[in-house]
Amino acid sequence: MSNENVSIFKEIMGSYPTGVTILTTTDAEGKPCGLTVNSFASVSLEPNLVLWCLDCRSASLEAFKQSQSFAVHILAADQEELCWAFAGKDPDRFSKADWYLSKNNLPVISGSLGVLECKTMQQIDAGDHIIFLGEIIDIDKQDKEPMLYFRRNVGKIPADWPAVAQG
């Protein structure tokens, strides 16, 4: 694809509103590892499967490739600071989060709208990314509003959004 088409593709995809997640796991030494991801989707109800994509150039790639599990944190609207902390290059991201190690030995960040702890089912090479397919083994939900990503910005659902306005 030409550089111009790559730029157009990025602009189009940036204009496609998505939710925002933080993915976590532990590395080979048992240290927590995590990053902000918006390339996340549900796949199946039977069994409960989800997928997400990771750039092959990511510093977190080896930790997720070697791990047999991961946690997906569906971010709440009030977690903007956390979103950007895990999107950055700071290796000490977890010092900015309230987190604990779950019974599944996964780093779980407190305060998210939802947490899906998953067993890694498959890793698929896909161009310059790896697609991780996981089966949900544990789930938790809080009564919070979701965070949205749109044109390189994050925020809450607008108050005049039809579903919000109707209550």
Side-chain angles (χ1 to χ4, degrees), residues 92-110:
D92 196 23
R93 300 167 182 175
F94 282 87
S95 69
K96 297 168 177 60
D98 179 20
W99 68 279
Y100 61 92
L101 216 50
S102 76
K103 67 182 182 198
N104 297 306
N105 204 35
L106 287 167
V108 172
I109 297 169
S110 302

Side-chain angles (χ1 to χ4, degrees), residues 11 14-16 149-153:
E11 187 177 333
S15 295
Y16 178 67
Y149 175 81
F150 176 67
R151 294 187 178 160
R152 297 181 175 251
N153 291 292

Side-chain angles (χ1 to χ4, degrees), residues 99-129:
W99 68 279
Y100 61 92
L101 216 50
S102 76
K103 67 182 182 198
N104 297 306
N105 204 35
L106 287 167
V108 172
I109 297 169
S110 302
S112 299
L113 180 151
V115 178
L116 312 172
E117 293 184 62
C118 301
K119 173 176 64 171
T120 303
M121 300 300 293
Q122 198 171 359
Q123 298 176 23
I124 305 158
D125 289 327
D128 59 5
H129 279 65

